[in-house]
Amino acid sequence: MPESELPEVVRIARDLIRIDTSNYGGGRANGEREAAEYVGAYLTDLGLEPEYYEPIERRTNVMARVRGRDPERPALVVHGHLDVVPAVAADWSVDPFEGLVRDGMLWGRGAVDMKNMNAMILTAVADILRAGEQPERDLILAFFADEENGGVEGSALVVQERPDWFAGATEAISEVGGYSITVDDHRAYLLQVGEKAMLWLRLVAKGRAGHGSRYHDDNAVTRLAEAVAAIGRTRWPIRLTPTTRALLDGLSALTGRSTDDPDALAAAAGPAEAFLRSTFRTTTNPTALTAGYKHNVIPETAEALIDVRVIPGTEDDVLAELQRIVGDDVEIQTVVRDIGMETAFEGDLVDAMVAALGRHDPGVPVIPYLLGAGTDNKALVSLGITGYGFAPLRLPADLDFTGMFHGVDERVPVESLVFGQRVLADLLRGC
């Protein structure tokens, strides 16, 4: 598609993808400064006054407030994160940081998570302001660093040290909700009203160091491998919450199928099946291994990282069960522990989000769901701000959108971005 024909929302998302903000975790990151400055310059061109906060070098956050017609109404936070997970270029069919537009899709790291939504936020606000309009209430536009590391060097620091940014706000919207899925040939939208809790754990196994050739029954690598395999093969039981029960009811209404088997019902959602199944239960996935330094040396210590996403309220029980699974010889260290949250699928903002989707895609149902992962909404909870996931995208039935979060060949349809910009502008004008 020629440059002149690219919608503005696509150009902005592409530009942000081209700024490599890879976050490797544990404080290792390229940094978000250039992306924050790009966003700040765009906001300045709209007549806004962005503020920057960089508590750690290059880990830059940016905010601007859009004044609403009714200053007495509580403000709405509309936020995104500027970092992305790393991408191994050799695994991709395109350069992950080129921002290529091909086959009606924008490709690149961040096209799904979440430079697409950042572009939708910016252009939706631009639509309002360029038309000489004001939103109904104040909008606080915030773009955070470090979300892909649990926000510990981003939103967590911002809410602690710059709570003034969010003065008067009671609600927030951000990523991983408002997108469409296809269930038995019926389109539906998922609106995120909750998030599982997060436990990032490190397993540490110790043994006796020695020569790789000797008989050795106290091997840290073996001990760790057994623990990792046991956790990775654990299948946690289904444990429904009010939100996941409502999700099942919505899927049942679309399909006519019973809610008795949640996994079977989720299978009707095609590519979104695995994403939905993860919301019904705790998940414990090994993600990294570290051990040894030479082929013929048995190391004294071996370590693994485990990504645990927990049904809210069950964190301590899960930790105890994990210790039982790995045994007393393996130490479990908590690297990051973050809260879960769940709110009701009701209220003026929920009604406004449902109505906005209905105006642009009439007759399509909107169903609540619990996100199996987490967002920066968790940090805002500490300020009494209730968060939702609403990045509206109408997607092709055969696109495995949820599978591209942190995946390979991440991409989003151009027309979906344009749809999202329009829905979001519609919402922000009057909610």
Side-chain angles (χ1 to χ4, degrees), residues 48 90 130 155 192 271 299 339 344 348:
L48 302 174
R130 288 169 182 165
S155 59
Q192 189 256 99
I339 62 170
D348 291 344

Side-chain angles (χ1 to χ4, degrees), residues 2-271:
E3 174 81 15
S4 61
E5 296 179 13
L6 286 179
E8 184 181 25
V9 65
V10 177
R11 294 199 305 272
I12 292 173
R14 178 204 61 190
D15 290 349
L16 289 172
I17 287 169
R18 290 176 174 176
I19 304 171
D20 182 354
T21 53
S22 293
N23 187 347
Y24 299 88
R28 292 180 55 242
N30 291 349
E32 297 82 1
R33 184 183 292 168
E34 287 78 14
E37 290 172 345
Y38 178 98
V39 168
Y42 187 92
L43 295 171
T44 298
D45 287 345
L46 294 179
L48 302 174
E49 299 178 356
E51 298 180 29
Y52 297 90
Y53 180 60
E54 189 178 279
I56 298 170
E57 186 177 4
R58 294 192 52 77
R59 311 311 303 274
T60 316
N61 308 270
V62 59
M63 181 279 300
R65 184 179 286 253
V66 183
R67 296 297 176 183
R69 293 188 295 271
D70 185 353
E72 301 301 316
R73 288 194 60 194
L76 174 68
V77 182
V78 187
H79 64 96
H81 63 84
L82 296 171
D83 61 325
V84 295
V85 296
V88 179
D91 296 338
W92 287 54
S93 64
V94 301
D95 180 343
F97 297 104
E98 182 183 352
L100 178 68
V101 177
R102 187 180 73 185
D103 302 327
M105 300 267 191
L106 172 65
W107 299 62
R109 180 59 89 211
V112 168
D113 183 13
M114 67 169 292
K115 291 178 176 179
N116 60 339
M117 175 61 167
N118 294 336
M120 288 157 52
I121 293 170
L122 293 172
T123 52
V125 171
D127 285 349
I128 297 169
L129 297 181
R130 288 169 182 165
E133 301 171 346
Q134 280 183 285
E136 183 64 26
R137 55 170 159 167
D138 280 13
L139 304 177
I140 300 168
L141 312 179
F143 300 86
F144 295 116
D146 201 46
E147 192 273 349
E148 297 295 1
N149 186 47
V152 295
E153 295 186 351
S155 59
L157 294 179
V158 175
V159 299
Q160 291 173 24
E161 301 176 17
R162 293 304 307 267
D164 54 295
W165 276 12
F166 309 102
T170 56
E171 295 172 308
I173 59 173
S174 189
E175 60 176 331
V176 205
Y179 59 89
S180 70
I181 61 173
T182 301
V183 184
D184 278 355
D185 297 324
H186 300 286
R187 187 162 60 250
Y189 288 91
L190 296 178
L191 201 160
Q192 189 256 99
V193 297
E195 302 179 9
K196 288 165 73 177
M198 182 177 78
L199 295 169
W200 281 354
L201 306 178
R202 178 184 292 111
L203 305 186
V204 180
K206 293 190 175 181
R208 189 174 68 255
H211 198 289
S213 67
R214 65 178 292 177
Y215 177 81
H216 201 99
D217 58 2
D218 187 16
N219 190 311
V221 176
T222 302
R223 185 168 292 127
L224 179 75
E226 290 169 343
V228 168
I231 287 177
R233 293 188 179 120
T234 297
R235 295 296 175 261
W236 297 81
I238 289 173
R239 186 163 181 169
L240 299 178
T241 74
T243 300
T244 50
R245 291 183 188 279
L247 168 67
L248 292 174
D249 289 342
L251 296 177
S252 178
L254 278 174
T255 64
R257 304 184 192 188
S258 169
T259 61
D260 292 343
D261 186 343
D263 286 337
L265 191 50

Side-chain angles (χ1 to χ4, degrees), residues 274-298:
F275 210 68
L276 296 182
R277 289 180 64 189
S278 71
T279 72
F280 302 150
R281 50 173 60 80
T282 288
T283 59
T284 50
N285 286 310
T287 55
L289 297 168
T290 304
Y293 52 90
K294 195 173 187 298
H295 207 127
N296 61 347
V297 178
I298 299 169

